[in-house]
Amino acid sequence: MTEQEIYSGLRGKFGEKVLEFMEEGTLNPTAVIKADSVAEICLFLKNNESLQFDSLMNLAAHDPDGESELSVIYHLYSTNLNHYFTLKTHVSRENGVVESVANIYRTADWHEREAYDLFGIKFNDHPDLKRILLEEDWEGHPLKKDYVTAEFYRGMRIEKVK
Amino acid sequence: MGALNHKFNENILITSLDKLLNWSRSGSEWYFQFGLACCAIEMMSAAAARHDLERFGAMPRSSPRQADVMIVAGTVSLKMATRVKRLYEQMAEPKYVISMGSCANSGGPYWQYGYHVLKGVDQIIPVDIYIPGCPPRPEALLEGLMHLQKKMREEHVLEKKEV
Ligand code: SF4
């Protein structure tokens, strides 16, 4: 199925929860969906007979400019039917919450922890949402573009004095 | 030993205890086997057949208790830095540290914008030898180990250390 067809199907089934379809200017045609309906849409995409998106290739978070909303991007692939689809959702910069898909795609477990660790995005219903790369007592989420590097971490200087 | 040299049979050797100890120590630089980033690949290559670290008596030990030298090979992230320090503390005296590569020396490519990288392992543990390069070739590591041997030979391990 083409991405356009998949989008139309989603739009027909989920209506307002599917916001728009982006084809121009993106590498992969992308459906933008609401953050609180990610899980049900993914479940549908996975279980529907004619879609069978059984693999989440990647889950990424993105901060475009340090001011506007953060986004979470899902790259889906169907190993049976050999087609791709991309979902995207926007969350607010502070305390953004997205539905977790870790119970649908096991891949998402660590990827969501990474997005939480580096961007501070919370994932509802995640089995074990804690930092994955940085130390538990780290302050802030460094891949956000407005992140300010602290001077010290546990007594170790982070920025070298110039 | 100067005047006494060659005064006895060939099988008898006269030396000072210091020299004997230093000779044996410098001939068995057992290094602590752990790598932190790409530099560790060069360290492995140095230990493998082509460069063969073992001909210097340097062999990897997996426990800090058995190691004489800690080769910090790679990027020391702040998370790892606390572990590196603890492992160093677990090594038995006399102990040495070789800082291998730009990352361990100074933060290397993470000098700027490296929010999670320690800018030089010498901020947390004393370093004896610095090896420049990104990554240093195995030959450079060998030279570093030889410099360390030189340093060991000039020491007096039996003397009490001034604190
Ligand atoms: S100095 Fe270069 S080669 Fe060595 S760990 Fe750093 S980036 Fe990698």
Side-chain angles (χ1 to χ4, degrees):
Chain A
M1 256 203 251
T2 66
E3 281 92 348
Q4 181 69 52
E5 287 165 352
I6 297 172
Y7 168 73
S8 309
L10 281 184
R11 182 82 196 182
K13 177 141 175 60
F14 293 99
E16 289 301 298
K17 292 174 182 167
V18 185
L19 300 171
E20 59 170 318
F21 187 59
M22 302 191 310
E23 214 166 5
E24 311 244 309
T26 64
L27 200 59
N28 312 92
T30 303
V32 183
I33 58 176
K34 279 197 171 156
D36 54 3
S37 46
V38 171
E40 53 177 322
I41 291 179
C42 280
L43 199 62
F44 170 76
L45 288 171
K46 186 180 184 183
N47 292 337
N48 186 289
E49 264 310 298
S50 56
L51 298 171
Q52 296 185 35
F53 281 106
D54 52 356
S55 155
L56 175 69
M57 295 191 299
N58 189 29
L59 185 156
H62 174 221
D63 180 4
D65 50 16
E67 284 170 17
S68 45
E69 291 187 311
L70 306 175
S71 40
V72 184
I73 299 131
Y74 304 79
H75 288 271
L76 299 171
Y77 175 58
S78 167
T79 50
N80 266 347
L81 304 175
N82 191 23
H83 56 197
Y84 299 85
F85 197 58
T86 309
L87 295 172
K88 185 173 182 175
T89 183
H90 295 290
V91 284
S92 73
R93 297 190 66 79
E94 304 304 325
N95 306 317
V97 182
V98 186
E99 286 295 306
S100 166
V101 294
N103 296 319
I104 303 167
Y105 300 111
R106 288 303 307 275
T107 324
D109 188 336
W110 282 16
H111 288 206
E112 284 177 351
R113 279 176 64 188
E114 189 184 4
Y116 165 70
D117 191 357
L118 301 176
F119 289 91
I121 300 167
K122 301 222 167 50
F123 291 88
N124 239 351
D125 291 335
H126 188 283
D128 183 25
L129 193 65
K130 59 181 187 199
R131 287 187 185 273
I132 187 170
L133 297 169
L134 297 166
E135 202 80 273
E136 301 260 303
D137 62 350
W138 192 274
E139 275 171 32
H141 302 281
L143 285 200
K144 282 165 101 172
K145 285 189 178 155
D146 52 3
Y147 174 79
V148 185
T149 308
E151 201 176 345
F152 288 96
Y153 171 73
R154 291 200 195 175
M156 295 176 279
R157 179 176 281 283
I158 301 179
E159 288 294 346
K160 198 81 178 171
V161 230
K162 295 195 181 97
Chain B
M1 280 269 103
L4 289 178
N5 254 358
H6 308 300
K7 285 274 188 281
F8 301 96
N9 277 345
E10 277 184 358
N11 292 337
I12 296 178
L13 198 111
I14 301 206
T15 179
S16 70
L17 195 52
D18 254 351
K19 267 196 181 158
L20 181 67
L21 283 175
N22 288 346
W23 169 76
S24 59
R25 282 185 328 121
S26 67
S28 66
E29 294 172 312
W30 290 4
Y31 60 94
F32 186 22
Q33 179 186 29
F34 78 114
L36 302 180
C38 8
C39 273
I41 305 293
E42 293 298 301
M43 183 174 76
M44 288 177 232
S45 150
R50 180 175 286 260
H51 298 281
D52 194 14
L53 270 187
E54 207 131 338
R55 67 201 150 113
F56 296 93
M59 74 166 156
R61 305 306 297 167
S62 301
S63 157
R65 312 270 184 212
Q66 300 171 349
D68 307 301
V69 190
M70 173 188 256
I71 303 180
V72 186
T75 318
V76 189
S77 67
L78 292 167
K79 190 175 183 180
M80 191 64 193
T82 51
R83 276 77 165 170
V84 169
K85 186 156 191 258
R86 170 166 308 182
L87 290 170
Y88 175 76
E89 283 160 359
Q90 287 177 349
M91 286 166 64
E93 290 276 1
K95 53 192 173 185
Y96 305 89
V97 176
I98 293 181
S99 160
M100 179 183 184
S102 308
C103 279
N105 292 343
S106 68
Y110 311 98
W111 168 268
Q112 215 176 357
Y113 310 124
Y115 61 86
H116 66 302
V117 175
L118 187 71
K119 308 297 172 342
V121 74
D122 51 4
Q123 288 194 46
I124 50 164
I125 53 177
V127 175
D128 296 279
I129 307 282
Y130 296 87
I131 305 174
C134 178
R137 280 191 56 87
E139 289 90 330
L141 180 59
L142 293 184
E143 183 168 357
L145 281 168
M146 280 152 70
H147 274 288
L148 188 63
Q149 286 183 328
K150 213 189 282 171
K151 182 170 179 168
M152 283 174 168
R153 284 194 207 107
E154 284 157 13
E155 280 176 341
H156 309 280
V157 271
L158 294 178
E159 273 175 25
K160 239 190 180 162
K161 251 195 181 172
E162 282 173 42
V163 195

